[in-house]
Amino acid sequence: MTMPQPAHKRILLKLSGEALMGDDQFGINRATIVRMVEEIAEVTRMGVEVAVVIGGGNIFRGVAGGAVGMDRATADYMGMLATVMNSLALADAMNKAGLTARVMSAIGIDQVVEPYVRPKALQYLEEGKVVVFAAGTGNPFFTTDTAAALRGAEIGAEMVLKATKVDGVYSADPKKDPNATRYSHLSFDEAMGQNLGIMDATAFALCRDQKLPIKVFSIFKNGALKRVVMGEDEGTLVHV
């Protein structure tokens, strides 16, 4: 009997730093990160090539008070370092789970992680390794959403998966409006017209221009990542 094949062979998974906190106020919740790694391992065993971009809000939140009044570029570089810390934690959990993970940084920290080099990243993906892109784009004033769109386009990902705490894009805040409905799919123009705020404007425009679909789904739903890569009706698809 032939096993069902994934609908997507190469994906870019965008994780927020806050997703790693679990129920904690900041930092990394070990049980949460282990469960996420299990979801990623499941799809890699199916032959899906996975790259990850992760934010740093969970780490930076712990020092945010000291950043008040700080120069924006300096604060952004601190945020980039927070993403490196998260990337190392995620890669460590992946390696302990039997995956082979490589962290590549957009800023030079050669003693800690290797620099981002596109051909090397593509080689790692083709070898079945999970590549974690750290330090955003390497530039202040650009978010990790933009880094996800940029790296997704560079590596030829078939889709950017934005993993959130909500299982898709809704017509209104589902926590405040019980009648809010989840969109199964939206065009980029529809999402922009309704000002749904799926990603920051730069990231969203890049995905639209590169015809790179975005899938918004909940990383906290068991098996959701697998259902997404299998092409099932999970989350919200944003497309051209």
Side-chain angles (χ1 to χ4, degrees):
M1 184 177 179
T2 304
M3 295 294 291
Q5 294 299 306
H8 309 289
K9 297 296 290 183
R10 179 177 291 174
I11 60 171
L12 188 294
L13 178 63
K14 168 60 170 66
L15 290 169
S16 68
E18 288 79 358
L20 301 184
M21 295 190 303
D23 295 325
D24 300 337
Q25 291 187 333
F26 58 86
I28 298 169
N29 182 287
R30 189 67 186 177
T32 299
I33 201 170
V34 167
R35 194 194 61 74
M36 288 182 183
V37 167
E38 290 172 352
E39 297 266 331
I40 294 169
E42 185 176 23
V43 300
T44 59
R45 287 194 293 267
M46 297 163 57
V48 179
E49 297 173 3
V50 180
V52 182
V53 168
I54 189 165
N58 59 314
I59 302 293
F60 194 71
R61 182 175 295 187
V63 296
V68 174
M70 185 179 292
D71 177 79
R72 168 66 189 273
T74 300
D76 281 359
Y77 280 118
M78 290 173 64
M80 291 180 213
L81 295 175
T83 73
V84 174
M85 295 170 68
N86 279 340
S87 297
L88 288 169
L90 185 64
D92 178 76
M94 288 179 179
N95 290 325
K96 284 182 168 60
L99 297 171
T100 303
R102 294 287 184 267
V103 179
M104 307 187 87
S105 172
I107 57 177
I109 322 177
D110 294 353
Q111 291 89 342
V112 182
V113 293
E114 62 183 290
Y116 168 68
V117 179
R118 179 175 175 268
K120 193 70 174 178
L122 292 170
Q123 178 186 331
Y124 286 152
L125 289 169
E126 290 163 0
E127 292 172 351
K129 297 179 174 68
V130 178
V131 182
V132 185
F133 297 121
T137 67
N139 303 286
F141 307 106
F142 291 92
T143 69
T144 49
D145 275 355
T146 299
L150 176 62
R151 297 290 183 248
E154 286 183 304
I155 66 171
E158 296 173 17
M159 182 177 289
V160 171
L161 276 54
K162 182 163 184 179
T164 70
K165 294 183 177 181
V166 184
D167 63 343
V169 179
Y170 281 77
S171 57
D173 187 342
K175 292 182 179 179
K176 298 178 180 177
D177 184 354
N179 296 317
T181 57
R182 178 180 66 86
Y183 297 108
S184 61
H185 59 87
L186 286 163
S187 71
F188 282 101
D189 290 342
E190 288 171 336
M192 292 177 72
Q194 296 182 51
N195 196 28
L196 293 173
I198 294 168
M199 280 184 163
D200 73 72
T202 304
F204 205 70
L206 179 56
C207 287
R208 182 190 61 187
D209 293 346
Q210 295 300 314
K211 298 179 172 57
L212 180 58
I214 303 167
K215 174 75 84 165
V216 182
F217 75 106
S218 172
I219 194 65
F220 294 97
K221 285 180 65 177
N222 288 332
L225 179 58
K226 178 181 178 181
R227 290 191 291 274
V228 168
V229 300
M230 293 301 292
E232 298 179 19
D233 180 21
E234 181 69 46
T236 301
L237 175 66
V238 185
H239 58 92
V240 175

